[in-house]
Amino acid sequence: MSELAIMLDREKAEATVRYIVSFLASSDYDALALFSVGDGLSADELRHAIKSYGSKVVAEPFDASKPEPLDDGSGWWTDVDLYAVEGGLSDLTLSLTIFDTEKPLYDVRIDDLHVL
């Protein structure tokens, strides 16, 4: 098992994902893009993905798979199954890379927002 997998703070990871999903639920794509580090999706790409999907994301509940360590040991990746106002669990998935930080929430790169 990777050392990073042991060091992941599950409560901090859940709080980070909850924070990100709340931006999606409130349609605040600009703030979400600013929160994302690195070359993640832009606000326009996020807005387009949600508009193309045709349903509003709700903040609760959400389902994040257990974050898995990256091969290079620099962080973790996870997919977040999102819920929609219409119909509950959707097939819309948010793909994230999580990086360790001393801040209260992890640094996150938003890699994709797509239908599975």
Side-chain angles (χ1 to χ4, degrees):
M1 179 179 272
S2 165
E3 187 176 324
L4 278 178
I6 296 168
M7 295 183 350
L8 177 73
D9 180 333
R10 297 282 296 152
E11 288 181 19
K12 185 175 177 178
E14 183 176 317
T16 302
V17 171
R18 193 172 305 284
Y19 188 68
I20 289 167
V21 172
S22 73
F23 282 132
L24 281 176
S26 65
S27 302
D28 195 347
Y29 309 115
D30 292 322
L32 186 53
L34 287 173
F35 184 76
S36 182
V37 298
D39 293 328
L41 295 182
S42 69
D44 287 338
E45 290 169 319
L46 292 163
R47 188 175 291 107
H48 176 74
I50 295 292
K51 185 176 180 180
S52 295
Y53 184 69
S55 184
K56 182 171 174 51
V57 171
V58 294
E60 298 290 338
F62 70 88
D63 182 23
S65 62
K66 181 180 176 189
E68 296 290 330
L70 297 174
D71 290 339
D72 66 3
S74 64
W76 306 268
W77 66 270
T78 193
D79 285 333
V80 180
D81 297 327
L82 299 171
Y83 285 73
V85 171
E86 305 85 1
L89 181 61
S90 72
D91 51 0
L92 191 61
T93 302
L94 182 66
S95 297
L96 305 172
T97 302
I98 301 169
F99 302 99
D100 198 13
T101 179
E102 295 297 318
K103 296 182 251 181
L105 298 176
Y106 284 115
D107 283 342
V108 173
R109 182 181 64 225
I110 301 169
D111 298 314
D112 203 359
L113 179 58
H114 59 281
V115 174
L116 280 185

